[in-house]
Amino acid sequence: MFKLWLIPLLPFLGFLINGIFGRKLPKLVINAVAIGSVVASFLWVALVVGPSTDWGEHKVQAHYFTWIQSGNFNVGWDFAVDKLTMIMLMIVTGIGSLIHIYATSYMDHEGGYYRFFAYLNLFMFFMLNLVLAANYLILFVGWEGVGLCSYLLIGFYFHKKSATNAGNKAFIVNRVGDFGFALAMFLVFINFGTLNFNGVFAAAPGKPVETLTAIALLMLVGAAGKSAQIPLYVWLPDAMEGPTPVSALIHAATMVTAGVYMCSRSSVIFLHAPAAMQVVALIGLATAVFAATIGITQYDIKKVFAYSTVSQLGYMFLGVGVGAFSAGIWHLMTHAFFKALLFLGAGSVIHACHGEQDMRQMGGLRKYAPWTCLVLACGSLAIAGFPGTSGFFSKDAILTAAYAHAPWMFWVGVVTAGMTAFYVWRAFWMTFWGDYRGHGKPHESSWVMLAPLMVLAVLSLAGGFLFNVPEMLKDMFPEHGEVPEEHMLMAISVAAGLIGIALSWYMYVVNTELSGKIANALGGVYRLVNDKYRVDEAYDAAIVEPIIHGSSAVLWKTIDQGVIDGAVNGIGARAQNVGGLLRRIQSGNIRSYATWVLAGSVVVIILMGIAGGVR
């Protein structure tokens, strides 16, 4: 009735058309296909599926065909829509449409134009399958699909070794997390006999806590890979090698939030596994703090926002871990607004500065790109949690829930909020204030790029007020009780954000030499943080190099060359030696052949005589 299959099918058709025929199509047609397919999907969700759905406790489900039937293992290609699904669908298709429009101008002079939009449409197809899935296996198909598209888009500039390395890194690290998720699905089927959400969630309360804890922890491994949490966060900062629209769509607004969505979708399992919930909260909080400290020291504008994404994802996991699932989803939505804005705004800045990404080579851009300056100010206010902005509502909901769970978590979260405000506004001051320090003359971006930024700016400022997610999802997730100190907690978190903004203004506008003095005073500590705690180097030394060395010294030289090749070559050598001996017998001399025949006859007669004597 609702034709849910149309939602992912439309972007898939866009992928097929541009992927197959795009090389011969004019850009106008490529744009129409790429943007039109995503906008059509958004309109179908907004105008048909949403208004026609009964938003009671029941959800709309659709079964299309049986995909796998083996014994008692039955998986159908089933879609389902409830309130949580609708929120995700609107985010994915809505933000996706804006980013597609922006990309038509940003990527206008790039090679492989049709290929880029084919990949973007393919990503939308897989992400929408992930969100619409009514069972874990269909969700896993979308999960793996967005990972594939991430690899393709991160490595889009395949002529750059850094881009191909980043794509490989993202793919490999995500495979580690996906292995955990696959094990979780195996455990789910073994213990529940089904992978359908309805069956699993209905039976979960009656299962042993140990079983649910194991499943939840394995799901967390998958979520940590996809949503860049400790220890699997290392791929996301390197993913900035991809084009900026990719950073905005995949690595800020949609794909990286898949882990948060999956944990929230599986809330019944997590709520009955309190130990796993605690682990989720601790990992989220640790990731938020860890990434925020790194963001303070970075100079690449995209890297600053990349570590900000890792940190904000940590906030979402903190919300999920303390049981505030609706607050986590609320922050997922508001983060999609302001982080997509920040990344696309960074792309506008890079475009204005002729490809420069180092903030030390910027400055004074408010004179040359005033609209970009304005919209980035809106995004920076939102992520800093300025009162009334979207980030203020969702961040405050998470911190309040954290205080109710464990007050110390609230205080760590507040410090992280202050650091977030500091490093985001540090980037703003370095980019737009002072004198221009770069090369060439900066310029404002086209209106095709600016229009989506303005829409996102409005959503960043008013989205939290317009879309009260906890109210929307109050029937799906348990509500938290009132916290008596809520207004005081709100004032403390707001103060932390304002202090962060004020400190960044003083250090990068008023007293610009102070930051250098602090860096010199901190010495090795600053260099350690600036080097991202050398985590990548530690992984290389502890994991990557031993694997490469082991593959070379043991698997290749010892087993492959020594054992396998040695055995094959040894057999060949022995056969050659035997052949050499036999070759000498075949001399072509008739007397020699007669002698051998006579000798053979004598041997046969002797053997026959011996055999007769034995009988």
Side-chain angles (χ1 to χ4, degrees):
M1 177 181 177
F2 299 102
K3 295 183 175 60
L4 300 180
W5 51 271
L6 268 177
I7 300 171
L9 179 65
L10 290 167
F12 187 69
L13 291 176
F15 158 72
L16 290 178
I17 294 170
N18 280 335
I20 297 172
F21 307 108
R23 188 185 295 271
K24 299 179 180 179
L25 295 176
K27 284 185 178 179
L28 187 62
V29 176
I30 294 172
N31 295 346
V33 170
I35 297 173
S37 63
V38 180
V39 170
S41 184
F42 169 74
L43 293 175
W44 187 258
V45 172
L47 302 179
V48 178
V49 178
S52 303
T53 305
D54 177 14
W55 294 121
E57 294 183 0
H58 302 289
K59 58 184 178 183
V60 175
Q61 286 197 246
H63 172 75
Y64 296 109
F65 58 88
T66 298
W67 180 25
I68 300 175
Q69 176 67 64
S70 178
N72 63 344
F73 181 53
N74 184 297
V75 177
W77 199 275
D78 301 340
F79 287 161
V81 174
D82 58 12
K83 295 179 183 179
L84 177 58
T85 308
M86 273 300 300
I87 291 171
M88 294 298 298
L89 287 174
M90 294 300 293
I91 293 172
V92 174
T93 58
I95 302 296
S97 298
L98 294 173
I99 293 173
H100 275 69
I101 294 170
Y102 173 97
T104 58
S105 178
Y106 188 89
M107 300 295 293
D108 186 53
H109 302 293
E110 298 287 352
Y113 188 84
Y114 77 95
R115 179 167 53 89
F116 176 80
F117 281 100
Y119 290 164
L120 277 191
N121 277 172
L122 183 62
F123 167 80
M124 295 294 293
F125 165 73
F126 281 120
M127 189 68 199
L128 291 170
N129 271 288
L130 187 158
V131 170
L132 284 165
N135 59 64
Y136 280 109
L137 195 57
I138 303 299
L139 189 151
F140 191 70
V141 170
W143 187 275
E144 291 294 287
V146 295
L148 168 65
C149 295
S150 179
Y151 164 77
L152 295 172
L153 287 162
I154 293 169
F156 179 76
Y157 299 123
F158 56 82
H159 56 279
K160 293 170 56 180
K161 184 171 177 57
S162 57
T164 57
N165 287 344
N168 291 335
K169 185 176 183 179
F171 193 81
I172 293 168
V173 172
N174 271 273
R175 296 293 72 70
V176 176
D178 296 349
F179 181 68
F181 189 17
L183 291 179
M185 287 198 300
F186 295 151
L187 269 182
V188 167
F189 179 72
I190 290 170
N191 288 278
F192 292 89
T194 181
L195 293 177
N196 293 325
F197 292 152
N198 288 344
V200 172
F201 300 155
K207 297 296 180 181
V209 173
E210 295 78 9
T211 300
L212 296 177
T213 300
I215 292 171
L217 290 175
L218 288 170
M219 286 181 174
L220 175 60
V221 173
K226 198 66 71 186
S227 295
Q229 297 296 286
I230 290 175
L232 301 178
Y233 73 93
V234 290
W235 67 271
L236 182 57
D238 288 9
M240 298 304 107
E241 289 289 342
T244 298
V246 174
S247 304
L249 178 62
I250 295 181
H251 305 126
T254 53
M255 188 194 89
V256 292
T257 61
V260 181
Y261 169 75
M262 185 264 288
C263 291
S264 299
R265 175 61 69 194
S266 307
S267 60
V268 176
I269 293 175
F270 280 88
L271 287 170
H272 289 84
M277 291 274 285
Q278 186 71 4
V279 174
V280 172
L282 291 174
I283 286 180
L285 192 60
T287 303
V289 177
F290 184 79
T293 58
I294 298 175
I296 291 174
T297 64
Q298 301 303 301
Y299 289 101
D300 184 318
I301 189 169
K302 286 181 68 177
K303 285 287 180 72
V304 173
F305 295 147
Y307 280 105
S308 170
T309 296
V310 176
S311 182
Q312 294 301 305
L313 288 166
Y315 256 112
M316 297 175 209
F317 274 85
L318 173 61
V320 170
V322 299
F325 294 96
S326 57
I329 296 297
W330 202 5
H331 200 59
L332 183 157
M333 181 189 71
T334 60
H335 177 265
F337 297 154
F338 59 69
K339 187 54 63 65
L341 172 59
L342 290 173
F343 267 117
L344 295 182
S348 182
V349 168
I350 295 167
H351 182 73
C353 296
H354 311 283
E356 182 61 67
Q357 294 185 200
D358 190 332
M359 297 185 297
R360 291 169 293 190
Q361 303 301 316
M362 298 177 184
L365 291 182
R366 72 183 189 278
K367 304 172 187 176
Y368 306 99
W371 288 107
T372 300
C373 176
L374 178 63
V375 295
L376 271 178
C378 295
S380 300
L381 285 173
I383 194 173
F386 192 82
T389 61
S390 62
F392 163 76
F393 291 101
S394 57
K395 182 193 71 173
D396 181 67
I398 290 174
L399 289 177
T400 302
Y403 184 85
H405 181 78
W408 70 268
M409 288 186 172
F410 165 82
W411 290 109
V412 175
V414 165
V415 172
T416 305
M419 288 192 288
T420 300
F422 176 84
Y423 66 69
V424 170
W425 278 90
R426 165 183 175 265
F428 182 83
W429 303 128
M430 290 185 70
T431 302
F432 293 103
W433 250 248
D435 298 321
Y436 183 62
R437 302 177 291 273
H439 58 277
K441 185 177 180 181
H443 57 84
E444 183 62 276
S445 299
S446 68
W447 283 104
V448 176
M449 292 171 62
L450 290 175
L453 293 179
M454 292 177 178
V455 175
L456 289 169
V458 172
L459 292 173
S460 296
L461 293 177
F465 175 77
L466 294 175
F467 307 106
N468 190 336
V469 173
E471 181 65 25
M472 296 177 188
L473 301 180
K474 64 181 180 181
D475 296 330
M476 290 190 66
F477 303 119
E479 294 186 47
H480 282 270
E482 293 289 331
V483 177
E485 306 90 341
E486 184 172 354
H487 294 295
M488 181 187 70
L489 301 178
M490 184 187 302
I492 292 171
S493 65
V494 168
L498 295 176
I499 290 171
I501 296 173
L503 279 176
S504 67
W505 174 78
Y506 181 76
M507 291 176 62
Y508 293 94
V509 176
V510 179
N511 187 356
T512 55
E513 297 180 357
L514 181 59
S515 61
K517 293 178 181 178
I518 293 175
N520 291 331
L522 291 175
V525 174
Y526 177 85
R527 288 191 295 274
L528 178 65
V529 179
N530 183 245
D531 290 341
K532 299 159 284 188
Y533 295 99
R534 303 193 181 109
V535 173
D536 284 308
E537 290 80 357
Y539 279 5
D540 286 341
I543 300 174
V544 178
E545 290 301 327
I547 289 176
I548 293 175
H549 177 73
S551 300
S552 174
V554 179
L555 296 179
W556 173 34
K557 293 182 179 178
T558 302
I559 297 178
D560 190 22
Q561 289 188 333
V563 178
I564 299 174
D565 287 352
V568 173
N569 294 336
I571 292 170
R574 299 293 81 77
Q576 189 176 26
N577 292 337
V578 172
L581 291 173
L582 295 174
R583 181 166 55 87
R584 293 179 182 178
I585 297 174
Q586 303 295 326
S587 62
N589 190 320
I590 295 177
R591 290 182 181 180
S592 175
Y593 292 164
T595 302
W596 282 109
V597 170
L598 179 62
S601 301
V602 171
V603 171
V604 171
I605 292 169
I606 291 171
L607 291 175
M608 291 176 65
I610 293 172
V614 171
R615 286 196 298 269

